[in-house]
């Protein structure tokens, strides 16, 4: 029995003012091709289907189109849960009707654990679905005030599933959570203010595979049985060196689940470049000009209109700025500059050295001296 595990599509996401929906459609086209070639028994989407609780209309249309293609054309069973970015109720619209057609969307968490049995596969596999919910809602749902925090809430939900599991039946858990030890990216919205919201990996024992959403880097935990498929695309520049994939999971009749990563086609890569503005403007790369670019400028002096000037080479550039030079070691520890003991010129020299790590040049000192004299004259003239 094989299924494709994906998560964190974040349909409708906007990055640096640019809608990524065309990129998402392009990659989902590729996903439909993978489903055609691989012919999995199911597709699992582990939450954060949309980027926002109230997604834009074109994102809703895109989801409708791709779910229809998967279920109606590819004839594959789709199981999706709500993540922390989704509105559970909106995502689950019509879900009881759609379930008979092969689309299982588990939106709001219910007291009775939701499960979907794939009975015609070898082996049979039961998918337990735990959509994202806030710990206080889980406490209310289970009528248990003692539940505080994500770990306690998840443990209670999983205990309730274990009570209902049949011995010997192969099982997959589908959840949206932060497992302790997972590697985070900038594009995830923390689950908990002032804390990590992490759940220990041990809490997830007892399933043949745990198909997680939330962390955007594809990664396996706890020896491989617990896995984040990672997001559909790179959703922040700190993920630029992080290749994305979907996970093809095989549940054999016996023994552990096997996972294969499958890369999907991307329309624009997202990457960082660096150099002085002149260097970047004088080299036209052979490939990747259409990528979404973040330029770290190594210029020592201010540059103007860098993004607009670089756009002639990189039409989809999203950001360019001078890299903050590292503050030399030891600075900031010395005696504080004292305006009552130092002249304006001395203070500026100290400031310049602190910021740039080197002394002001003689030529710049001459300009500075001229400016200070002019300033003093103006002040005296008042
Ligand atoms: Mn996410």
């Amino acid at each position: 029995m094989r299924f494709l595990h994906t998560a964190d599509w974040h349909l409708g996401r906007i990055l640096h003012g640019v809608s990524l929906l065309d990129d998402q459609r392009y990659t989902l086209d590729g996903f439909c091709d993978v489903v055609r070639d691989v012919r999995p028994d199911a597709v699992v989407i582990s939450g954060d289907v949309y980027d926002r609780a109230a997604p834009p209309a074109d994102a809703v249309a895109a989801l409708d189109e791709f779910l229809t293609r998967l279920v109606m054309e590819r004839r594959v069973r789709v199981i999706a849960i709500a993540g922390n970015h989704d509105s559970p109720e909106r995502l689950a619209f019509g879900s009881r009707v759609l379930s008979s057609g092969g689309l299982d969307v588990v939106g709001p968490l219910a007291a009775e654990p939701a499960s979907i049995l794939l009975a015609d596969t070898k082996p049979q596999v039961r998918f337990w679905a735990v959509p994202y919910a806030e710990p206080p809602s889980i406490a209310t749902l289970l009528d248990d005030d003692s539940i505080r925090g994500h770990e306690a809430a998840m443990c209670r939900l999983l205990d309730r599933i274990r009570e209902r599991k049949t011995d010997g039946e192969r099982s997959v858990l589908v959840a949206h959570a932060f497992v302790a030890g997972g590697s985070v990216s900038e594009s995830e919205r923390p689950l908990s203010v002032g804390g990590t919201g992490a759940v220990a990996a041990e809490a997830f024992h007892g399933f043949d595979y745990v198909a997680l959403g939330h962390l955007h880097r594809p990664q396996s935990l706890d020896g491989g049985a617990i896995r984040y498929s990672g997001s559909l695309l790179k959703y922040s520049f700190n993920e630029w060196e992080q290749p994305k994939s979907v996970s093809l999971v095989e549940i054999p009749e016996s023994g552990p689940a096997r996972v294969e990563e499958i890369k999907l086609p991307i329309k624009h890569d997202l990457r960082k470049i660096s150099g002085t503005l002149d260097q970047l403007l004088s080299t036209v790369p052979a490939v990747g000009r259409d990528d979404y670019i973040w330029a770290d400028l190594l210029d020592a002096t201010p540059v103007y209109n860098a993004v607009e000037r670089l756009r002639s080479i990189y039409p989809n550039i999203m950001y360019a700025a001078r890299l903050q030079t590292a503050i030399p070691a030891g600075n900031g520890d010395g005696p504080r500059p004292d305006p009552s003991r130092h002249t304006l010129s001395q203070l500026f020299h100290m400031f310049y050295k602190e910021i740039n790590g080197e002394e002001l040049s003689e030529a710049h000192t001459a300009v500075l001296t001229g400016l200070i004299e002019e300033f003093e004259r103006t002040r005296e003239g008042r």
Side-chain angles (χ1 to χ4, degrees), residues 326-342:
I327 293 171
N331 268 9
D333 303 341
R336 308 293 298 167
D338 181 352
S340 64
R341 287 195 303 115
H342 295 106

Side-chain angles (χ1 to χ4, degrees), residues 73-87:
E73 286 176 26
R74 303 283 172 240
R75 298 276 161 199
V76 65
R77 185 75 168 257
V78 176
I79 299 167
I81 62 166
N84 59 313
H85 282 247
D86 299 305
S87 156

